[in-house]
Amino acid sequence: MLDKGVITTTEDPQMFGHPKGLFYLFFAELWERFSFYGMRALLTLYMVQEIFKAIAERDTATAIVYASYGSLVYASTVIGGQISDKILGMRSSIFLGGILMAIGHFVLAIESDVAFFLALSLIVVGNGFFKPNISTFVGALYKEGDVRKDSGFTIFYMGINIGGFVAPLLCGWLAATYGWHYGFGLAGIGMLAGLIFFWSGIKKNVFGDKGMPPSQEIYEKRVLGIPQKTLIPIIAVLFVPVIAYLLSSWQQNYVSGIFKFIGFAVLVYLGYIMYSLDVVARKKLFMAVLITFFMTLFWGFHELSGSVITLFASRNVDLDGIMTASQTNALNSMFIIILAIPISLLWGYLSKNKLNPRTPYKFGLGLLLAGASFYILSISGASADENGMVPFAYLLVMYFIISIGELFMSPVGLSKITDLSPRNIVAFMMGVWFLSSAFAFQIVGFISEQLAIESTDANVGGLDTLSVYTDGFHLIALYSLGAGAIVLLFSPLMKKLMGNVH
Ligand code: GLN
């Protein structure tokens, strides 16, 4: 029996009180994130120790390629989401994206520099089709007003982080024991597993009629003599060498230039929209833009985990016998799994007592927590041994604190964006929201370049690098704490701007 007030999609099969399709999407996304984060855990060290090992600016090159990859992998979701909405539908988009990503991971298992950039590019294009559509698919399983939707998304976020937790451990272990390419290969197998789950869901008809193309006519419509359903995958594949070229020309850093232009264009467009809105809508949209801006800042510090923090872990953290530097990438997801339910219960409890802090306060606290987490890393130098190695506990505590910050901001922000944006630009604002992760990687690139260590010595680290990192972390802590304090200071004003949106 279902609770009173639950609106169900009666035509779709149910399981554990949720649409059965959720569990197929859960496992498909779990395995996709397994491949994504398994690969990400290896990426920076692989570049420093293999791809760029012969050049002294290898940290700089790695910082730029990592940032460009991260920016493009999130920016492509904006395009993938639009193409799915207008032409392909979610099912075909997810298949197309999943197949491209799986090929990308397998190409990474080939030992060659050309293969490396082509592989990253395949993942960029593939993720663009996969990631936004699998998330939208979750939403589509519930009818509007279904009270189970939020808990459906919480379950789904768990899947993401189970993948993000297990993959760095396994891929990191394989890479360290048998070689990098085994680690990358396992990521590819993970992606295939994700596709199989999705495919079996379709075979078992658990998705009902969801995720089909918006119009069969448009789907089949011929452009240049080729049906759109075939033309889009062809164009997607044609983009792969172009993106590979952009990624490989790190000296020119074209991607950074492109993102400066996109950022400018988005701001101009938003300015134009705001100008044409009435006062109330303008205030709300302004708030949505602010929320996205703070989220960008937060991810900009958070996403350092795969780059500078992984290098710090490999060069200055005493990991002896605990885990490898790649494996430390599992810690964030581990804490999310542990903390997600307690924190959502906390919001529920506070709500009941009318004490649930409003969004601006949560965002201010989230940035303060990010600052505190980097502060912990910045003082770790005081406990370093004579070889410049700091105790692992600092890294563990850092990840614990920043993960709480993530839970204060990320799940809250998404739903607020939908509430605050004018109806006709909600889809555009969703794109801007995803772009916030893309821009965050430009912050990651900037910081990682500042903290680059010029050396071709494979064993560089210890006392030579410790203060570079701890001084850098100190500055990041100050910026993040400062930003958090400003947000808290202006929270009463922001509260007014948000009107009745909590
Ligand atoms: N960890 C989350 C995911 O992988 C969010 C990452 C992000 O948006 N930067 O889906």
Side-chain angles (χ1 to χ4, degrees), residues 29 32-33 36-37 40 74 131 135 156-157 160-161 164 295 299 302-303 332-333 336 406 410 433-434 436-438 440-441:
E29 175 66 342
E32 183 269 332
R33 290 286 103 179
F36 185 84
Y37 284 116
R40 197 195 76 163
Y74 278 103
K131 176 82 169 154
S135 322
F156 187 70
Y157 207 65
I160 289 178
N161 284 290
M295 201 64 234
W299 286 133
H302 180 285
E303 292 284 356
N332 169 230
S333 283
I336 295 289
E406 178 178 343
S410 172
W433 177 257
F434 270 120
S436 75
S437 289
F441 274 88

Side-chain angles (χ1 to χ4, degrees), residues 448-461:
S448 313
E449 269 190 76
Q450 310 305 310
L451 304 186
I453 310 244
E454 297 206 357
S455 165
T456 46
D457 175 4
N459 298 316
V460 68

Side-chain angles (χ1 to χ4, degrees), residues 73-193:
V73 96
Y74 278 103
S76 64
T77 58
V78 180
I79 302 168
Q82 294 288 332
I83 294 178
S84 167
D85 276 0
K86 302 206 160 68
I87 307 168
L88 283 186
M90 294 178 283
R91 292 187 193 199
S92 304
S93 302
I94 290 169
F95 269 117
L96 172 61
I99 291 167
L100 291 174
M101 283 179 90
I103 298 172
H105 287 297
F106 288 125
V107 172
L108 260 184
I110 303 170
E111 281 177 56
S112 120
D113 290 7
V114 177
F116 174 73
F117 290 109
L118 280 175
L120 289 189
S121 176
L122 279 159
I123 298 169
V124 164
V125 180
N127 192 62
F129 284 102
F130 191 101
K131 176 82 169 154
N133 292 308
I134 195 141
S135 322
T136 326
F137 211 140
V138 174
L141 293 177
Y142 302 88
K143 275 192 180 153
E144 211 175 315
D146 190 329
V147 292
R148 302 167 304 163
K149 192 165 162 176
D150 274 1
S151 63
F153 268 109
T154 309
I155 296 172
F156 187 70
Y157 207 65
M158 280 288 180
I160 289 178
N161 284 290
I162 294 172
F165 169 59
V166 180
L169 297 180
L170 284 183
C171 296
W173 171 74
L174 274 179
T177 316
Y178 298 100
W180 296 106
H181 301 283
Y182 290 89
F184 290 131
L186 182 65
I189 293 172
M191 187 62 246
L192 278 187

Side-chain angles (χ1 to χ4, degrees), residues 127 230 263 309 331 420 436 440 475:
N127 192 62
T230 319
I309 298 175
L331 298 173
L420 289 166
S436 75
L475 264 182

